[in-house]
Amino acid sequence: PSGCGKATTPLVLAALHPKGEFHACDFNPPHIAHAEALRAQAGIGNLRLYAKSIGEMLRADLPRFDFVVLHGVYSWVPQAVRGEIVEFLRTRLKPGGLAMVSYNAMPGWAHLQPLRRMMRAHAESARGDSLDKARAAFGYVRALAKARSGYFATLPAAAAHLESIAQKDIRYVAHEYLTPHGDPFYFPQGEEAMRAAGLAFAGSMDAADNYAELMMPAALRALMPADASRAALETHRDFVLNTTFRRDLYAAQPAAAQPAVLGLERLQGIEFCLADLPERLPMKVAAGPLQFDLSGQAGTVRTVHALLGSGPAGASAITGAVGGGAAFLIQQLVVSGHLSPCAAVRAAAGWLPL
């Protein structure tokens, strides 16, 4: 991961996958020093940490990567650094490798851009460190919202957004609203940048977003032609749902047509486990962006729940339990939040060893 902060995620990933090789960077040396101390204390030997910028990582002695994770980076750096990111992906991602790029998205951020601008302007004249400035700026715009000033009276969603972040750590406010760079992007803008790195859009990290029939309510999906490109469909979906944040997955290979029906062989080698207790997993959801109805298959779904109650199982085992149509059923259950891909082996019951 790049822009790894105090490297909590790469530390956990390296510890969980001792046969993997992990590299993580952040341009803030105290963050890396903190992470290095944790790494040494935990005895994690398969993670290398770098107090370097993306540009410096381009010149570092690094291997080529199977995966590159850019979470919370792309929207928050200047255009020159985005160019360095594109070059890093072009030169350091292996053929067939995957890159995850998250960013603030349009049109969901459209009504919040003035809010960010007002907060930054107020912070410039506030005293204290960055957190003091963030508190002052947040208090200022919140007072404007409570007084129903014109902007907030016209855009009540902006006032509601303020209340939604009122309980967040002030460091989140400073990062999201006071940094000099915080650009939101439409999907085609991100796709164009990644295409310059030789990458093709492979899908969303959110499973449901990869199924056209589940992306949005059917009536709104019907406004797009059946043969619409994925880029057009993604842009349409973002307008329908007013998307504020995207987590896109790109592959270092040419775009490939996907089969209409995913065969069972494509799921081989993947283990699945229950995402929650069976009694907490709904058969039907009729509100919100993700709506589904599994009630007509309730018996089959409960059979899968019973199978996985004793631990993870692969696609073949699920097929043996439910018969034909298991591939599509597995996809339905992953999308609806019943199942999750997981490691094949679980720790024994009881207390973990110290």
Side-chain angles (χ1 to χ4, degrees), residues 212 215-216 220-237:
M215 281 180 173
M216 65 198 83
L220 294 171
R221 169 67 181 89
L223 294 175
M224 293 292 288
D227 59 350
S229 69
R230 183 62 185 270
L233 192 59
E234 292 291 328
T235 304
H236 177 68
R237 172 193 169 277

Side-chain angles (χ1 to χ4, degrees), residues 68 70 74 89 99-103 194 246-250:
V68 175
L70 291 147
Y74 197 74
L89 293 173
M100 195 284 278
V101 185
S102 68
Y103 53 94
M194 294 303 107
R246 291 191 61 101
R247 298 190 303 159
D248 293 341
L249 192 64
Y250 288 89

Side-chain angles (χ1 to χ4, degrees), residues 100-113:
M100 195 284 278
V101 185
S102 68
Y103 53 94
N104 283 341
M106 292 289 276
W109 262 86
H111 69 295
L112 299 177
Q113 288 297 85

Side-chain angles (χ1 to χ4, degrees), residues 1 6 8 45 64 83-84 96 128 133 143 148 185 198 202-203 206 218 221 236 264 266-267 269 281 302 340-341:
K6 294 183 178 178
T8 302
R64 299 187 78 185
E84 293 172 344
K133 291 176 179 290
R148 291 189 55 79
F185 299 96
D206 298 303
R221 169 67 181 89
H236 177 68
L264 192 65
R266 299 286 291 272
L267 299 176
L281 298 171
R302 294 305 183 200
S340 293

Side-chain angles (χ1 to χ4, degrees), residues 86-175:
V86 168
E87 182 63 12
F88 187 92
L89 293 173
R90 189 185 70 80
T91 58
R92 297 301 174 91
L93 192 61
K94 290 180 182 178
L98 296 174
M100 195 284 278
V101 185
S102 68
Y103 53 94
N104 283 341
M106 292 289 276
W109 262 86
H111 69 295
L112 299 177
Q113 288 297 85
L115 180 63
R116 184 173 179 273
R117 180 68 178 177
M118 286 190 294
M119 290 180 68
R120 289 197 64 219
H122 187 81
E124 289 177 0
S125 59
R127 296 180 179 179
D129 60 19
S130 60
L131 297 185
D132 293 329
K133 291 176 179 290
R135 291 187 187 94
F138 187 73
Y140 161 70
V141 292
R142 204 174 184 195
L144 286 174
K146 289 182 178 179
R148 291 189 55 79
S149 58
Y151 166 73
F152 290 105
T154 304
L155 293 169
H161 178 76
L162 272 187
E163 292 308 307
S164 73
I165 63 175
Q167 304 304 316
K168 289 185 178 291
D169 192 302
I170 195 63
R171 287 171 292 189
Y172 165 82
V173 176
H175 174 269

Side-chain angles (χ1 to χ4, degrees), residues 47 65 79 105 110 123 136 140-141 162 217 243 245-246 255 315 318 344 346:
L47 169 64
F65 296 99
Q79 182 59 43
Y140 161 70
V141 292
L162 272 187
T243 303
F245 191 73
R246 291 191 61 101
I318 295 174
R346 285 186 178 178

